[in-house]
Amino acid sequence: MSRWEGLDEFVAVAECGSFMRAAEHLRVSSSHVSRQVARLEERLQARLLYRTTRRVSLTEAGHTFLARCQRLIEERDEAFNVIGDLHSAPTGLLRMTAAVAYGERFIVPLVNEFMAQHPQLRVEIELSNRTLDLVQEGYDLAIRLGRLSDSRMVATRIAPRAMYLCAAPTYLERYGRPHTLSELARHNCLVGTSDTWMLQDDGREQPFKPSGNWRCNSGQAVLDAALRGFGLCQLPDYYVQEPLRRGELVSLLETNRPPNTAVWAVYPQRRYPLPKVRLLIQALKDGLARRPEYLRT
């Protein structure tokens, strides 16, 4: 007996809300659907559906199992599409995640452009500053910033990312300009999402623990505080390029700037990346390259 038996029937019943409509959708008999679901429940030793004369509803186990089955079926079907047509249009559900501020500003608009070109695709986007476990939480794709640590993932660089240590001229006039890494500890630092600023000294990475009287987990808020002369900040290029160009911020310790990191598209290891993931990554890479923030890098 195949372990796939009953999965299509169970998902159809759950999505259609009845055995009869599921049978019509699958073009089989109602008795076949009922028999396959019953056998599946017997194999699992768990009830998946509550059955009454009027309606069918999911048990708690059914809800948990349904989400997994939907993804299995979609990926199974997409695997056949990969072999049948490597250039087929992306279909099914794509779940992805990105950091909140970067996702809102850069990623979501490009995903929306991609969706307009591929309306048969469904997308769920989770904007979160937590590093989500893609495998455990069932995500197809993540956009991550900086350096990567999870070797289980496949990573594609989709844009550059340089970090700048900056301060407003008004702050530097009052407190002076740091000329060495050792002088940073004497300055008020505006702390964002990271407790550690990465710099470099003689070609080696040098971590620095910033401290000060201001903290917020928003890059835009850190930028605003820096522009008001509250202290030093370390922010990615796309936040500070324009203020630097206008002279509203001054770049500091440029010889100690850490090597450029990157913006990465990350997905779980598979022998063949799903077409919807592969095509969206390329669309993001092309779209970011057209952004004015990256045209100047």
Side-chain angles (χ1 to χ4, degrees), residues 28 31 51 93 103 130 191 218 243 257:
V28 295
S31 60
R51 303 160 175 82
L93 174 65
R130 291 191 304 116
V191 184
S218 161
R257 186 185 303 162

Side-chain angles (χ1 to χ4, degrees), residues 10-284:
F10 163 65
V11 170
V13 172
E15 292 180 341
C16 295
S18 81
F19 283 85
M20 183 176 295
R21 286 196 293 271
E24 291 172 355
H25 172 72
L26 296 173
R27 298 182 181 180
V28 295
S29 67
S30 296
S31 60
H32 170 82
V33 173
S34 180
R35 186 166 55 251
Q36 289 293 87
V37 172
R39 287 175 178 172
L40 178 62
E41 289 179 318
E42 185 178 346
R43 293 206 310 277
L44 294 172
Q45 292 294 292
R47 181 181 288 274
L48 301 174
L49 299 167
Y50 293 120
R51 303 160 175 82
T52 68
T53 54
R54 292 189 175 183
R55 59 187 294 246
V56 174
S57 60
L58 289 164
T59 65
E60 182 179 353
H63 278 290
T64 301
F65 195 56
L66 175 63
R68 300 281 180 161
C69 288
Q70 287 171 322
R71 294 186 60 75
L72 281 171
I73 290 170
E74 285 176 352
E75 293 195 7
R76 177 201 64 188
D77 294 344
E78 201 150 16
F80 283 105
N81 290 335
V82 169
I83 301 302
D85 183 2
L86 290 174
H87 303 288
S88 62
T91 60
L93 174 65
L94 189 153
R95 299 185 71 230
M96 65 179 297
T97 179
V100 177
Y102 192 84
E104 288 177 340
R105 181 174 170 184
F106 293 96
I107 299 302
V108 172
L110 293 175
V111 173
N112 290 343
E113 287 182 16
F114 188 75
M115 286 287 292
Q117 298 169 7
H118 304 286
Q120 66 274 43
L121 183 67
R122 293 182 292 130
V123 171
E124 292 180 6
I125 308 173
E126 176 77 15
L127 296 182
S128 173
N129 291 329
R130 291 191 304 116
T131 301
L132 304 178
D133 188 316
L134 304 192
V135 175
Q136 191 68 29
E137 301 186 51
Y139 287 95
D140 299 295
L141 179 66
I143 306 303
R144 291 185 175 160
L145 311 173
R147 289 171 174 78
L148 303 176
S149 58
D150 193 340
S151 60
R152 298 176 301 162
M153 300 293 114
V154 178
T156 300
R157 182 181 183 273
I158 60 173
R161 183 177 183 262
M163 300 296 291
Y164 285 81
L165 184 68
C166 305
T170 53
Y171 176 87
L172 298 176
E173 288 168 9
R174 292 180 63 188
Y175 300 104
R177 177 174 183 152
H179 295 284
T180 64
L181 292 179
S182 62
E183 294 177 33
L184 287 181
R186 300 202 296 266
H187 285 269
N188 191 53
C189 296
L190 308 173
V191 184
T193 55
S194 176
D195 291 324
T196 304
W197 291 356
M198 296 307 301
L199 299 157
Q200 69 171 334
D201 189 20
D202 291 332
R204 292 176 298 185
E205 283 195 341
Q206 184 70 40
F208 170 72
K209 291 284 188 181
S211 63
N213 64 0
W214 192 98
R215 179 177 190 136
C216 182
N217 65 341
S218 161
Q220 193 62 44
V222 172
L223 175 61
D224 184 74
L227 291 170
R228 293 174 185 273
F230 291 176
L232 309 184
C233 71
Q234 189 183 57
L235 285 170
D237 43 17
Y238 44 83
Y239 280 111
V240 299
Q241 281 173 335
E242 284 303 306
L244 287 170
R245 186 181 63 80
R246 294 192 296 261
E248 297 168 348
L249 290 177
V250 176
S251 180
L252 306 170
L253 300 178
E254 293 191 345
T255 58
N256 300 108
R257 186 185 303 162
N260 285 8
T261 55
V263 180
W264 304 93
V266 177
Y267 57 91
Q269 288 186 359
R270 292 188 180 95
R271 189 163 185 177
Y272 302 104
L274 299 175
K276 59 189 176 186
V277 172
R278 174 174 51 82
L279 292 173
L280 178 55
I281 289 174
Q282 188 60 53
L284 293 175

